[in-house]
Amino acid sequence: MSKVAIVTGAGQGIGFAIAKRLYKDGFKVAVLDYNEEIAQKAATALGEDAIAVNADVSNRDQVIAAFEAVVEKFGDLNVVVNNAGIAPTTPIETITPELFHKVYDINIGGVLWGTQTATAIYRRLGHGGKIINATSQAGVVGNPNLMLYSSSKFAVRGMTQIAARDLAEEGITVNAYAPGIVKTPMMYDIAHQVGKNAGKDDEWGMQTFAKDIAMKRLSEPEDVANVVGFLAGPDSNYITGQTIIVDGGMQFH
Ligand SMILES: NC(=O)c1ccc[n+]([C@@H]2O[C@H](COP(=O)([O-])OP(=O)(O)OC[C@H]3O[C@@H](n4cnc5c(N)ncnc54)[C@H](O)[C@@H]3O)[C@@H](O)[C@H]2O)c1
């Protein structure tokens, strides 16, 4: 029987590339996103063994309802990719309590509720599973102007280690992927903001990031999906609590 995966934030960008990869690897795939329209479009593009489910990952009740709908539909759950996240540029003086809660609720809360719900379902189904979280090179080394985002991604690395220790004996592995500069709508927004702040264009904004990459090319979403495909498959069964950096050579740890 084919395995079942949920990918959050899979309506576009890295999440969609991951959904495509897992589908190709034989998973039944649930495309979870809070944007109903793109989630549906993405699921249709994958094929008949994919469905769209809607939830805001920062809302625990919505996450539980969406995950349960997937189990109801496909009868199993084996892999959860907590990919959804947001990355507003936040120079220190611009941060408000609202923005603080928004970023932390989505980037940290989303991973927490996804982990908690996946664990409860794996236990009920009586088998282990895999949990795979999106962190970032900005969660490995602090990035300027990204106080909220960068720190939230540090938290995701910590949560990955903690959950890995807490859940290992139940056959649940927990790992993370840390992309660099990936060509997605999120990154184009950041490049636009950085360019605008410096009085330059978007391309200039993008190149400020590209120059720090040893391989001198930006990442395609598929570069990241390849690593997640490995983490979701049997070849990574003896790996847990790790963050795999996939950034073309930006951070070396
Ligand atoms: N693009 C990059 O360069 C880069 C680098 C490092 C890490 N990442 C991380 O990878 C992940 C995906 O990034 P991306 O570039 O594909 O982003 P993106 O903005 O292009 O896509 C994110 C998707 O998540 C969905 N989403 C956002 N908040 C949500 C919520 N609260 N509930 C449900 N869905 C939600 C959006 O609708 C969108 O479809 C994020 O966690 C991001 O932080 C991205």
Side-chain angles (χ1 to χ4, degrees), residues 157-226:
R157 275 201 308 127
M159 293 161 79
T160 300
Q161 294 184 5
I162 296 157
R165 286 194 191 272
D166 283 352
L167 303 174
E169 286 180 25
E170 297 180 70
I172 301 171
T173 64
V174 189
N175 292 293
Y177 53 99
I181 311 299
V182 192
K183 291 192 238 165
T184 69
M186 170 187 282
M187 200 54 223
Y188 285 117
D189 286 348
I190 295 175
H192 173 74
Q193 204 56 47
V194 168
K196 202 174 111 194
N197 290 349
K200 310 273 174 119
D201 62 12
D202 294 12
E203 182 53 30
W204 184 90
M206 211 61 161
Q207 287 314 316
T208 61
F209 295 99
K211 70 174 172 24
D212 298 325
I213 304 171
M215 293 174 77
K216 294 292 175 229
R217 75 165 174 87
L218 300 177
S219 172
E220 301 296 333
E222 289 71 23
D223 293 316
V224 181
N226 290 341

Side-chain angles (χ1 to χ4, degrees), residues 9 11-15 33-35 38 55-57 83-86 106 134-136 149 153 179-182 184-187:
Q12 67 180 27
I14 294 170
D33 209 286
Y34 64 4
N35 182 330
I38 60 171
D56 180 335
V57 296
N83 168 77
I86 58 169
I106 293 176
T135 174
S136 167
Y149 177 75
K153 294 298 185 181
I181 311 299
V182 192
T184 69
M186 170 187 282
M187 200 54 223

Side-chain angles (χ1 to χ4, degrees), residues 106-130:
I106 293 176
N107 291 5
I108 302 176
V111 171
L112 178 59
W113 307 135
T115 299
Q116 191 184 58
T117 308
T119 301
I121 291 174
Y122 293 156
R123 281 179 183 153
R124 196 179 73 223
L125 293 171
H127 60 60
K130 290 174 182 259

